[in-house]
Amino acid sequence: MTHFQHNNIGNQANKIKATAPHLFVSKKMGTEAPLLLSTTHDENNFTYIKKPSFLTKSIKWVLKFVMWSIFICWISFIFLVPLDSVNKQYTKMVHSTSERSLFLIYSGPVMIIGFFAVIYLWISGDEEIQEEKKKSASFRLWTFPIIIDGPFGVVTAAELIGILLFAVYIIWAVIVYTINNINLLSLFEITHTGKRYVLLLELTGLKFGFIGLICMAFLFLPVARGTVLLRLIGIPFEHATRYHVWLGHLTMTIFTLHGLFYVIAWAIEGRLIQELTAWKNIGISNFPGVISLIAGLLMWVTSLPPVRRINFELFFYTHQLYVIFVVFFAMHVGDFVFSMIAAGIFLFMLDRFLRFFQSRKTVDILSAKCLPSGVVELVVSKPEGLQYNALGWIFVQIRELSWLQWHPFSVSSSPLDGKHHLAILIKVLGDWTEKLRGHILSVSDEKDELQGLLRPNLSLKMCVEGPYGHETPYHLTYENLILVAGGIGISPFLAILSDILHRIRDSKPCMPRNILIVWAIKNSDELSLLHSLDINSLCPYFYNLLNLEIQTFVTRESEPPLEEAIIPNYVSSYAYPTPTQGGMSSLVGTGNIIWAGSYMVLSTIGLVVLYALLNIFYIHPYNVTHWWYKGILFLVCMVASVVLFGGFVIGLWHLWDVKNGKKIDGENRINGLKYDESNVYKNPLKEDFVNDIKYGQRPNFKEIFGSMANQWGNVDIGVMVCGPTTLQTSIAKECRSQNFGRTRNGPVFHFNSHSFDL
């Protein structure tokens, strides 16, 4: 070790000692070393300083109870409506009060739960990790994979319960409605058998339409990325997207049957064209329904996996037909029926409007590199107060490449890496990424040609939506972690590892104490990705607090390259320039819960007020009775409430953000983004963790998981996987196998997947 290297290590240790002297309170092998960050002296049960008060816990418990009660009552009502006795009582109640009560019955519970969710998330916002070390492992429904190979992919126990509930409802509703329809035929004096069958077909189509309405009530909720409902239950958008896919298939199947039964009935009676083109003023208008169904079918067909894989752009552009689908659906059923599904669509509108404003802002690209492994690294500017977790995603648009295409990428940097920047790693695979790489290389300085470093200029314009992700950093709630990555799937795990090391160094709450990283790559030139994180410089003496082991499998090379006996070095510039136009917008639904909650609550109140005023001053005085027209008016009220009331909150939010941003700029950005001294030193000769690189092999997960089970014992092990579908399936199978074959003193493996390709 050179004199310079020795002094550098000493300087790093002295800096940490100066900023956190309480860490250096013991001697180990003649050197100062930090102790376990704990507020108690019991090694078997540690907690952290910040605990919620009794009042906070009580309020949260009450809110949970109220929200669960509303949800269970709502679901129970939906299940019981097909019963003739319940349906009669409910119809009588609607007619005796007001037709607007349908909104209260079907959409009201969703909005009310959303209101309570805002309060719950606000109360929970300042809490730190409060996990205690458990004496034994326990199963969790949402991390226990049950179904592995099937049309739904990997399905956990909690997801299976949801699927079964939908399946039971569909089967139950079809059976009950069929019995009711047959009984209803006896009330009509129809002697001709053919006409009885035609009437039965129409009644069946009608009931399928109602079942489709129930499915559609849930359809838009998973794709409202920043909605408080997803934040409440801790489901990030990349997980919720698959629920939207499932619901989309189910909804379109039922609506197709709904239309098919009517088409067959009308064709039998020879009035098919007449009925399809009918546009009734009172009652259901068929022609708008035909247009809506055609738009839905186009979206459905182009979203099927074979079409989406071959031509993603076709899927993306045809999916914008959802506007046509919703507008003509409102005209098809009218405001009375449309109000049943309004909550999910309204929350989606709120999210889409907020994303529109966020994505208008141009973001500075502080650094852009083309790495030898065929990966592009982008470092972008962000405001200091922007909130996100290590497992975050952002959507990126670069106008020099395309004005229409948005691409999602996982964040490769921890929120603790820097206050003013955020990094992503992009694998060069398709046309868009090839254009990006070519553009960076074309404008790079000659001396940086090998690194492909883009110097500060305005040659690239980036717009960003996000970050999105988990409401809480769930990777910090496991003491034992197994991170399994395939190729560029290592990107989110770099953020996790950096986050953990930062927290250990800064004495922040952090559960993980044992981490195993299993990384499968094709070629050795990808090894530089893992070494982009300088662990020893980031957190010296971390090995006293964290047991880290990295197993890398280079599958397509039998031995290390002869011309390079060492791992390719990753060179990175941390002297980022001062942003000229600022970072990404803070107007994100997953950010400040006060502003996000105010945005939702005020917009909802605005919808109720606008529609009430519309009825008082227009619909009733002018005797507006056309169903399709009232459906459009209701939809216009939804849009107007988002634009007027939601836009008002966004305006205030933006002004507040600008005011705080200027204050932060004056304090922290005098000299730009400062040079990060902790990342200057690279010590390739010493690694305080196990780093095993195996060539020409694939990971044997049964052996790896079995070894960890024997080593760690009766504990909860958080398993996180990011990679191709085959890799996720293999890990899910192994987690299920280990859990089903678990002995009394064995661990429980908790499966968590991070989407590899959205």
Side-chain angles (χ1 to χ4, degrees), residues 235-368:
I235 297 180
F237 89 94
E238 73 269 16
H239 289 182
T241 299
R242 68 200 300 247
Y243 307 148
H244 172 74
V245 173
W246 298 349
L247 287 167
H249 290 314
L250 177 61
T251 303
M252 288 313 304
T253 299
I254 293 174
F255 277 147
T256 301
L257 291 173
H258 161 69
L260 191 60
F261 278 112
Y262 274 108
V263 166
I264 295 173
W266 296 334
I268 291 175
E269 292 195 330
R271 51 190 177 98
L272 178 60
I273 303 300
Q274 178 184 351
E275 289 289 350
L276 289 178
T277 57
W279 195 310
K280 300 176 183 177
N281 291 328
I282 305 297
I284 301 296
S285 297
N286 295 337
F287 189 61
V290 172
I291 297 175
S292 179
L293 183 59
I294 291 174
L297 289 174
L298 286 173
M299 288 190 292
W300 188 24
V301 171
T302 55
S303 68
L304 296 175
V307 179
R308 185 173 178 173
R309 279 196 298 264
I310 295 173
N311 195 333
F312 179 84
E313 285 75 15
L314 178 63
F315 153 76
F316 177 79
Y317 295 133
T318 55
H319 233 64
Q320 308 313 307
L321 291 172
Y322 74 86
V323 177
I324 303 296
F325 176 75
V326 171
V327 169
F328 281 91
F329 188 86
M331 298 170 71
H332 173 56
V333 299
D335 65 323
F336 176 59
V337 178
F338 188 78
S339 63
M340 295 171 59
I341 61 171
I345 296 175
F346 185 67
L347 290 175
F348 174 76
M349 285 181 178
L350 287 170
D351 179 75
R352 190 65 191 88
F353 190 64
L354 185 60
R355 289 193 283 124
F356 171 79
F357 272 94
Q358 188 195 27
S359 63
R360 295 308 93 194
K361 186 175 182 180
T362 302
V363 178
D364 288 319
I365 298 180
L366 305 179
S367 171

Side-chain angles (χ1 to χ4, degrees), residues 376-413:
V376 172
E377 181 197 57
L378 297 181
V379 179
V380 299
S381 174
K382 76 173 185 68
E384 181 176 346
L386 188 68
Q387 302 174 16
Y388 73 98
N389 288 316
L391 286 172
W393 286 81
I394 61 172
F395 278 78
V396 170
Q397 177 205 53
I398 298 180
R399 294 172 182 175
E400 283 73 16
L401 307 181
S402 173
W403 276 81
L404 297 176
Q405 294 187 41
W406 288 84
H407 295 268
F409 300 103
S410 58
V411 177
S412 61
S413 60

Side-chain angles (χ1 to χ4, degrees), residues 492-612:
F493 297 154
L494 293 177
I496 285 181
L497 190 55
S498 175
D499 194 47
I500 292 171
L501 291 172
H502 273 290
R503 287 176 173 272
I504 290 175
R505 186 188 67 183
D506 300 337
S507 306
K508 292 179 178 293
C510 182
M511 284 286 291
R513 290 296 174 262
N514 302 293
I515 300 178
L516 169 65
I517 298 177
V518 181
W519 188 29
I521 56 177
K522 295 179 180 179
N523 303 302
S524 57
D525 58 2
E526 297 182 56
L527 290 170
S528 59
L529 293 177
L530 186 58
H531 286 257
S532 64
L533 184 66
D534 189 9
I535 298 174
N536 294 300
S537 297
L538 179 61
C539 184
Y541 305 106
F542 75 90
Y543 49 85
N544 290 283
L545 307 169
L546 181 69
N547 297 316
L548 175 63
E549 180 179 354
I550 302 175
Q551 297 182 14
T552 306
F553 296 83
V554 185
T555 59
R556 292 188 179 179
E557 295 178 6
S558 58
E559 57 185 13
L562 296 177
E563 65 275 10
E564 296 184 11
I566 60 173
I567 298 170
N569 193 22
Y570 183 100
V571 182
S572 183
S573 171
Y574 291 88
Y576 302 128
T578 303
T580 57
Q581 297 183 23
M584 62 185 71
S585 171
S586 296
L587 304 178
V588 54
T590 52
N592 190 306
I593 186 59
I594 299 297
W595 284 111
S598 301
Y599 174 64
M600 186 203 75
V601 171
L602 192 61
S603 298
T604 305
I605 295 173
L607 172 60
V608 175
V609 170
L610 285 180
Y611 197 61

Side-chain angles (χ1 to χ4, degrees), residues 563-677:
E563 65 275 10
E564 296 184 11
I566 60 173
I567 298 170
N569 193 22
Y570 183 100
V571 182
S572 183
S573 171
Y574 291 88
Y576 302 128
T578 303
T580 57
Q581 297 183 23
M584 62 185 71
S585 171
S586 296
L587 304 178
V588 54
T590 52
N592 190 306
I593 186 59
I594 299 297
W595 284 111
S598 301
Y599 174 64
M600 186 203 75
V601 171
L602 192 61
S603 298
T604 305
I605 295 173
L607 172 60
V608 175
V609 170
L610 285 180
Y611 197 61
L613 293 175
L614 185 70
N615 276 275
I616 295 171
F617 294 104
Y618 180 66
I619 293 180
H620 293 316
Y622 292 93
N623 195 27
V624 177
T625 57
H626 296 175
W627 281 29
W628 64 269
Y629 183 49
K630 291 169 70 175
I632 284 293
L633 290 176
F634 185 70
L635 198 58
V636 168
C637 284
M638 292 173 65
V639 175
S641 63
V642 173
V643 174
L644 297 178
F645 293 84
F648 174 73
V649 176
I650 288 177
L652 294 178
W653 189 351
H654 177 70
L655 292 175
W656 178 83
D657 185 45
V658 170
K659 182 179 179 181
N660 279 337
K662 288 181 179 179
K663 185 185 298 183
I664 292 172
D665 286 351
E667 295 174 356
N668 298 321
R669 279 181 29 193
I670 297 175
N671 298 316
L673 297 176
K674 295 183 179 180
Y675 198 81
D676 190 351
E677 295 181 3

Side-chain angles (χ1 to χ4, degrees), residues 447-467:
K447 63 181 180 180
D448 294 308
E449 184 176 355
L450 294 177
Q451 301 169 26
L453 174 61
L454 177 65
R455 291 301 183 187
N457 53 59
L458 299 178
S459 61
L460 283 178
K461 304 283 187 182
M462 175 185 282
C463 295
V464 174
E465 287 184 10

Side-chain angles (χ1 to χ4, degrees), residues 41-66:
H41 299 288
D42 185 357
E43 295 181 355
N44 296 321
N45 188 9
F46 59 87
T47 57
Y48 294 108
I49 297 173
K50 195 168 186 178
K51 293 182 179 181
S53 64
F54 175 77
L55 179 61
T56 301
K57 287 183 177 180
S58 301
I59 295 175
K60 288 178 63 177
W61 187 90
V62 171
L63 288 172
K64 274 186 178 181
F65 176 79
V66 171

